[in-house]
Amino acid sequence: MTTATDVEVVDLATTPLRELNQRLHDGAAGGPLRWRIVNPNGAHAVAVGVDAPFEIEIEGHTGYYTAGMNKHAHVRVNGNVGVGCGENIMSGTIHITGNASQACAATGRGGLVIVEGDAAARCGISMKGVEIVVKGSIGHMSAFMAQSGALVVCGDAGDSLGDSIYETHIYVRGSVEGLGADCIEKELKEFHREELGRLLTAAGADAKVDEFKRYGSARRLYNFNIDHAGEY
Amino acid sequence: MSDYNGQAGDGMNWQPGLRESYIFDRNTIEEIRRAASQGIYDIRGFGAKRKLPHFDDLLFLGASMSRYPLEGYRERCDTSVTLGTRFAKKPIELKIPITIAGMSFGALSGQAKEALGRGATMAGTSTTTGDGGMTEEERGHSEILVYQVLPSRYGMNPDDLRRADAIEVVVGQGAKPGGGGMLLGQKISDRVAEMRNLPKGIDQRSACRHPDWTGPDDLEIKIEEIREITDWEKPIYIKIGASRPYYDTQLAVKAGADVIVLDGMQGGTAATQDVFIEHVGLPTLACIREAVEALQEMGMHREVQLIVSGGIRNGADVAKALALGADAVSIGVAAMIALGDNDPAYADDYAKIGSAAGFYDDWHEGKDPAGISTQDPELSKRLDPELGGRRLNNYLRTMTLETQTLARAAGKSDVHNLEPEDLVALTIEAAAMARVPLAGTDWIPGRSKDGF
Ligand SMILES: Cc1cc2nc3c(=O)[nH]c(=O)nc-3n(C[C@H](O)[C@H](O)[C@H](O)COP(=O)(O)O)c2cc1C
């Protein structure tokens, strides 16, 4: 019998990835709630498609799409992650202690993704409701076509931030190399201060709300207008 | 661009002596006037309207002294096809080699999606979701449903991935290879907006590039992720717009496709710039042999199935596509017409919006009198999903019977036994593209021994 405190350890040096993911999927019906995955050695698609309130700890660096499409699970990666970590996350949390490669939390629809280090280009691209807190800096084209949710950056942001953005709220503490089409600096209203404060607390970030600037959509590309044709 | 020349006699004010320019024809002049007044390109639905080399330029030879035909009504001629035999634990089995192409909810009404599901299920084939996600109407009525993974990822979620029967990663579309999508604000109802996580009433652009992978090497890893999420059960298709079919096919195989969907430039769209529809990509006829030869060289023909689309209208088109090496075809515009799009019964309504039955292509405006390419609840009601489903089933059955008729005449007990050897071409262009001899000669341009 397993109990809630048991930790199921899976060694990817000896267990095929397929077996790990299958066990995580089958486990939604019962079994251990806590998982520890060791020796990921940069494997792609580790713990993807999980649909259960598991606590999953991954010891080491992972490849592409770590915890992709996560639902309910709380995933912690003690290391760096490759491209598309937490892509299309639905709910739950993903906490990365190192750096994240490109397209972190791309198209995410819910949940919270925390990056202790930096995130590369296209962080939060096409995000649809996910909340992302990056304690370091983010690369260019981040929050491209970002639809909803919030992106908090405690460091700096690269070029073309929020290009063609819709309704996502972006908060940056440091410098912004450049804003993308239709993305502008906006007033930090009470609602935003609360949202930002909540996210900083949730991520355990050592930063103050007043240090941030907010960016969002000028909403000038929402309905086609010939006078803005060059920006589309 | 139009096809008539000289003294077009059908003009309203034409009289002897008035000569219409071939290059500045009426459509061209009207388009210049429209551009000058509106300052924006023309967006429309439908596929390419210009004349292009097509299946009509091919003929079947039929059986003769050296070939033995099958009896038209009695002898068996199989039509079924299995898709996803390469990697999927649960390949899908279609009774007919004709599938319904991906058309988004948003572009089409919920009723239209339901009608497609009903008709396809009656005929024993699949439908495909589209940009905008999976609707209950379609999942509920479509026994075999292919779920698209598009650059926009509107509505994407793991539950729908798991309840799909197959998954199609859309790299491109024949109407607009290299282009993204656009759903204009007037079609964004509350429901469409909610499914796409966007405000109501604003234009919704769909990106032209996927957000989380960039090239074929990345796509291979993306497909591995999708397979892992769905426990390697579902066939995974890769859909490409016809532009470099030989290389794209080989790269799709390398990326791990179970099935390749190849969409030629005549392929329909819900809303794209006219300049894009008419001027980008290869005609369907020109890309099939390229793709088939790419598969054959890799030893993957029939192992990775090939679905061809773009301007398929009847059983002759189906039979010719199969003879050139496709495993199945897919239809978009024709399926809409079968449901009732461009129905002359709505002649007055078409006239009111400045169009006419048989010409209507402003599907992006959401005012479709037939209630198909609209989100307007009143217009949508005009389409009875049950009746639409029956009409689609009739049409699919007719096309299948036609395909079998041609296959039997060529002596084939399975429509998939049709081969290029059964075909000749009527034009040099078609002969070169389809790699079959010009009728009455043994000449395949670009392939013959003497180098021509
Ligand atoms: C109304 C409409 C909507 C479409 N929506 C999509 C879509 O969402 N995703 C996609 O990959 N292709 C879409 N297509 C293209 C079709 O999947 C298909 O490639 C094309 O219609 C095939 O050519 P045909 O219309 O000549 O049969 C759409 C086509 C039409 C007519």
Side-chain angles (χ1 to χ4, degrees):
Chain A
M1 258 226 20
T2 51
T3 67
T5 51
D6 285 342
V7 181
E8 183 81 2
V9 180
V10 181
D11 186 350
L12 278 180
T14 52
T15 310
L17 177 79
R18 183 75 283 273
E19 188 182 319
L20 166 69
N21 285 327
Q22 190 70 57
R23 283 173 63 190
L24 287 168
H25 298 167
D26 295 345
L33 293 176
R34 295 178 61 202
W35 298 72
R36 209 165 147 257
I37 299 165
V38 298
N39 292 314
N41 288 334
H44 305 309
V46 175
V48 293
V50 175
D51 187 5
F54 293 155
E55 276 180 36
I56 302 172
E57 193 147 1
I58 303 171
E59 299 294 349
H61 309 309
T62 56
Y64 284 40
Y65 310 125
T66 307
M69 301 219 181
N70 184 59
K71 262 180 99 177
H72 306 302
H74 299 287
V75 181
R76 184 184 170 93
V77 184
N78 291 314
N80 303 323
V81 295
V83 171
C85 175
E87 67 88 17
N88 217 86
I89 176 175
M90 304 296 292
S91 60
T93 56
I94 302 173
H95 193 150
I96 300 140
T97 63
N99 300 318
S101 183
Q102 297 182 47
C104 182
T107 78
R109 294 183 60 183
L112 173 66
V113 176
I114 302 164
V115 183
E116 294 288 334
D118 301 323
R122 304 192 187 102
C123 179
I125 183 170
S126 288
M127 55 193 281
K128 299 167 168 55
V130 65
E131 294 177 323
I132 307 170
V133 181
V134 179
K135 295 193 185 168
S137 300
I138 59 170
H140 63 272
M141 285 303 259
S142 288
F144 173 68
M145 288 180 100
Q147 298 178 206
S148 54
L151 170 63
V152 179
V153 184
C154 298
D156 306 326
D159 204 9
S160 294
L161 178 69
D163 193 284
S164 306
I165 186 172
Y166 291 98
E167 295 294 306
T168 293
H169 305 154
I170 304 179
Y171 306 97
V172 184
R173 181 161 70 162
S175 66
V176 173
E177 199 177 322
L179 294 172
D182 211 32
C183 186
I184 52 168
E185 188 184 333
K186 291 183 129 175
E187 193 191 337
L188 203 59
K189 294 188 187 148
E190 199 42 45
F191 169 85
H192 305 108
R193 299 177 65 85
E194 272 170 33
E195 178 178 63
L196 177 57
R198 173 176 60 77
L199 288 170
L200 290 171
T201 307
D206 181 21
K208 294 187 189 64
V209 168
D210 288 323
E211 297 166 342
F212 287 80
K213 284 183 178 162
R214 177 168 85 94
Y215 303 89
S217 180
R219 304 194 179 104
R220 289 192 314 148
L221 302 182
Y222 273 18
N223 293 97
F224 188 87
N225 178 337
I226 187 60
D227 296 327
H228 301 146
E231 293 184 51
Y232 283 87
Chain B
M1 185 155 315
S2 84
D3 199 35
Y4 51 84
N5 190 10
Q7 290 77 24
D10 53 338
M12 293 202 300
N13 302 316
W14 181 80
Q15 42 181 291
L18 295 184
R19 181 175 174 188
E20 182 167 20
S21 165
Y22 187 81
I23 59 166
F24 283 90
D25 64 9
R26 273 168 276 184
N27 284 324
T28 307
I29 289 175
E30 180 53 29
E31 172 53 18
I32 293 172
R33 294 175 49 75
R34 190 205 59 75
S37 89
Q38 295 176 0
I40 176 177
Y41 40 54
D42 185 26
I43 292 181
R44 67 173 176 86
F46 223 91
K49 290 189 163 180
R50 60 148 89 200
K51 186 171 178 359
L52 289 163
H54 200 42
F55 294 112
D56 288 339
D57 301 318
L58 301 181
L59 294 175
F60 279 104
L61 290 173
S64 56
M65 291 284 277
S66 59
R67 302 282 190 284
Y68 204 62
L70 297 185
E71 200 63 64
Y73 298 99
R74 283 185 285 110
E75 284 180 292
R76 206 187 153 107
C77 180
D78 286 335
T79 57
S80 66
V81 58
T82 307
L83 302 172
T85 49
R86 186 183 183 196
F87 289 124
K89 279 192 218 156
K90 297 184 178 167
I92 63 180
E93 179 94 30
L94 307 181
K95 292 205 182 87
I96 60 172
I98 309 161
T99 70
I100 307 301
M103 290 184 272
S104 63
F105 169 70
L108 300 189
S109 66
Q111 286 89 333
K113 288 301 266 179
E114 176 179 336
L116 291 173
R118 285 176 180 272
T121 300
M122 279 188 258
T125 191
S126 59
T127 68
T128 313
T129 61
D131 211 357
M134 188 186 286
T135 60
E136 294 311 319
E137 285 94 329
E138 194 171 20
R139 179 60 286 188
H141 293 281
S142 190
E143 203 168 293
I144 307 172
L145 181 58
V146 184
Y147 183 41
Q148 286 195 329
V149 177
L150 293 121
S152 72
R153 307 283 166 88
Y154 287 139
M156 171 54 54
N157 71 81
D159 301 323
D160 287 344
L161 268 184
R162 284 187 276 259
R163 64 186 186 139
D165 299 291
I167 294 157
E168 180 169 305
V169 179
V170 180
V171 176
Q173 224 181 293
K176 45 176 174 178
M182 172 75 105
L183 197 61
L184 292 183
Q186 50 268 46
K187 283 179 89 168
I188 313 299
S189 63
D190 286 330
R191 183 175 173 203
V192 173
E194 196 196 315
M195 279 180 73
R196 297 177 181 222
N197 311 82
L198 279 172
K200 192 182 171 186
I202 69 170
D203 298 345
Q204 297 189 353
R205 288 157 284 157
S206 299
C208 61
R209 298 188 298 253
H210 281 262
D212 55 353
W213 60 268
T214 39
D217 294 334
D218 279 7
L219 176 55
E220 187 174 350
I221 305 171
K222 181 72 198 172
I223 286 179
E224 184 193 342
E225 184 214 9
I226 298 171
R227 288 200 194 276
E228 282 294 325
I229 290 172
T230 55
D231 296 330
W232 290 72
E233 285 179 353
K234 332 262 178 204
I236 298 196
Y237 303 6
I238 295 180
K239 176 174 180 174
I240 49 182
S243 57
R244 294 170 191 83
Y246 176 84
Y247 294 107
D248 288 352
T249 298
Q250 293 213 333
L251 290 169
V253 170
K254 188 189 158 284
D258 289 303
V259 176
I260 295 171
V261 181
L262 180 60
D263 192 24
M265 77 169 279
Q266 294 98 322
T269 173
T272 302
Q273 299 92 330
D274 177 80
V275 71
F276 210 146
I277 299 175
E278 298 287 355
H279 298 279
V280 186
L282 296 189
T284 307
L285 191 66
C287 56
I288 304 176
R289 291 303 294 279
E290 288 268 298
V292 171
E293 285 182 15
L295 289 170
Q296 284 167 337
E297 276 174 29
M298 298 179 95
M300 284 290 175
H301 190 220
R302 307 288 185 215
E303 173 72 16
V304 168
Q305 289 81 32
L306 178 68
I307 301 179
V308 166
S309 59
I312 302 280
R313 304 151 298 171
N314 51 44
D317 292 349
V318 179
K320 290 169 188 173
L322 297 185
L324 294 177
D327 294 276
V329 301
S330 179
I331 57 168
V333 169
M336 289 175 67
I337 295 171
L339 295 186
D341 186 77
N342 271 293
D343 186 344
Y346 294 114
D348 293 347
D349 293 332
Y350 286 114
K352 272 186 219 144
I353 53 174
S355 188
F359 298 86
Y360 181 61
D361 61 14
D362 284 327
W363 294 339
H364 58 291
E365 289 180 348
K367 297 177 189 156
D368 188 351
I372 295 169
S373 60
T374 183
Q375 292 300 320
D376 180 320
E378 287 308 310
L379 290 173
S380 302
K381 268 196 236 155
R382 291 184 175 183
L383 179 72
D384 173 355
E386 278 185 45
L387 181 62
R390 280 202 296 278
R391 290 177 55 90
L392 178 63
N393 177 41
N394 285 341
Y395 172 59
L396 290 169
R397 276 178 195 278
T398 305
M399 279 208 283
T400 306
L401 286 170
E402 288 173 345
T403 309
Q404 287 172 304
T405 300
L406 296 171
R408 286 196 186 97
K412 315 291 183 185
S413 60
D414 187 312
V415 294
H416 295 94
N417 293 346
L418 287 164
E419 53 193 325
E421 204 270 330
D422 294 316
L423 292 168
V424 292
L426 284 170
T427 66
I428 295 172
E429 290 83 354
M433 291 175 184
R435 299 177 194 170
V436 299
L438 186 65
T441 77
D442 61 359
W443 183 39
I444 302 177
R447 294 273 151 158
S448 298
K449 285 182 217 74
D450 58 10
F452 282 100

